[in-house]
Amino acid sequence: QVQLVESGGGVVQPGRSLRLSCEASGFTFSAYAMHWVRQAPGKGLEWVAVTSYDGRDKYYAESVKGRFTVSRDNSKNTLFLEMNSLRAEDTAVYYCARDISGWYGVHEYWGQGTPVTVSS
Amino acid sequence: EIVMTQSPATLSVSPGERATLSCRASQSVSDNLAWYQQKPGQTPRLLIYGASTRASGVPARFSGSGSGTEFTLTISSLQSEDFAVYYCQQYTNWPPMYTFGQGTKLEIK
């Protein structure tokens, strides 16, 4: 069965960096676009970034553009999110999600999420 | 950016009754609209995509309709496990700039 397991979250000071990982299993990782979606405490869902199946194409929400970088290692079935210049408003649970089919924009499978707290 | 607006913010319905949730897009998204369910402390679950196609394993009591800017999620006969927060999401942009609605909380009346 499809499994997505995020890791790397934690408490970090404003302006610092953090790298999240998402290990995938149960499907052909290299065939799907992968997304990051976040949810601030008590708030709704916010799409963060997407990478194409081969990692060549990447797109970001305006709120993180220039600070966050999404990447993937298809040989290790792993998705990454490098987060730089972190701000208090980046505090959230970060989910990785698999697209429903190739690159469609629909998040069919989700990980359990990894919490990120940006605080001094 | 396409803004998605859901209404109402909170909906109180009795078990066994029908629930109707609305989602409006600030510009046409065609039928590129998905619905997700999120229970407290849980991961979001995909219910509907393509405005009206149920995802795998989703019960038939869930149905989606609409196109363009107006969409509806209907739950025909509410079960206890259906009380949750529901989000709509558009995925029509290119380049991608996917956006979610703010959510509708479906609570027991």
Side-chain angles (χ1 to χ4, degrees):
Chain A
Q1 72 282 19
V2 173
Q3 278 199 310
L4 300 168
V5 180
E6 302 93 337
S7 61
V11 180
V12 60
Q13 293 179 328
R16 303 298 291 266
S17 300
L18 206 59
R19 189 194 202 201
L20 307 183
S21 300
C22 170
E23 290 190 37
S25 60
F27 65 100
T28 303
F29 182 70
S30 60
Y32 292 87
M34 294 294 296
H35 304 257
W36 287 99
V37 179
R38 69 184 181 182
Q39 186 169 34
K43 302 297 185 182
L45 301 169
E46 180 187 16
W47 173 78
V48 173
V50 61
T51 176
S52 59
Y53 68 97
D54 59 2
R56 291 184 180 181
D57 297 312
K58 305 171 187 183
Y59 296 93
Y60 302 90
E62 286 296 328
S63 58
V64 306
K65 198 175 291 185
R67 300 188 299 122
F68 289 13
T69 302
V70 61
S71 61
R72 63 192 296 161
D73 184 340
N74 284 347
S75 69
K76 296 181 179 178
N77 291 349
T78 303
L79 175 73
F80 302 99
L81 185 67
E82 185 76 36
M83 304 186 294
N84 299 319
S85 303
L86 282 162
R87 306 167 181 168
E89 54 264 36
D90 296 319
T91 294
V93 174
Y94 285 74
Y95 298 100
C96 66
R98 196 203 81 175
D99 211 293
I100 193 169
S101 176
W103 188 344
Y104 201 59
V106 176
H107 312 108
E108 184 178 21
Y109 292 98
W110 299 65
Q112 287 304 303
T114 187
V116 172
T117 301
V118 183
S119 173
S120 55
Chain B
E1 175 182 310
I2 298 176
V3 177
M4 308 301 293
T5 303
Q6 292 185 240
S7 60
T10 303
L11 182 61
S12 300
V13 183
S14 300
E17 293 189 339
R18 173 188 297 255
T20 302
L21 289 67
S22 297
C23 175
R24 173 177 293 177
S26 60
Q27 63 189 75
S28 177
V29 300
S30 185
D31 62 353
N32 297 309
L33 192 284
W35 290 94
Y36 301 84
Q37 175 194 66
Q38 188 178 31
K39 298 178 183 179
Q42 294 190 19
T43 294
R45 173 195 181 193
L46 175 66
L47 296 177
I48 301 283
Y49 63 97
S52 61
T53 301
R54 277 190 301 276
S56 177
V58 175
R61 64 180 181 273
F62 291 90
S63 63
S65 63
S67 66
T69 61
E70 300 284 343
F71 300 89
T72 300
L73 174 69
T74 301
I75 311 170
S76 60
S77 178
L78 279 164
Q79 307 297 305
S80 58
E81 62 265 29
D82 299 335
F83 294 96
V85 179
Y86 292 83
Y87 296 95
C88 63
Q89 177 228 339
Q90 66 80 18
Y91 51 95
T92 195
N93 295 85
W94 193 265
M97 193 62 66
Y98 309 124
T99 48
F100 290 88
Q102 81 280 17
T104 290
K105 182 179 180 181
L106 182 57
E107 63 177 27
I108 301 175
K109 187 174 183 180

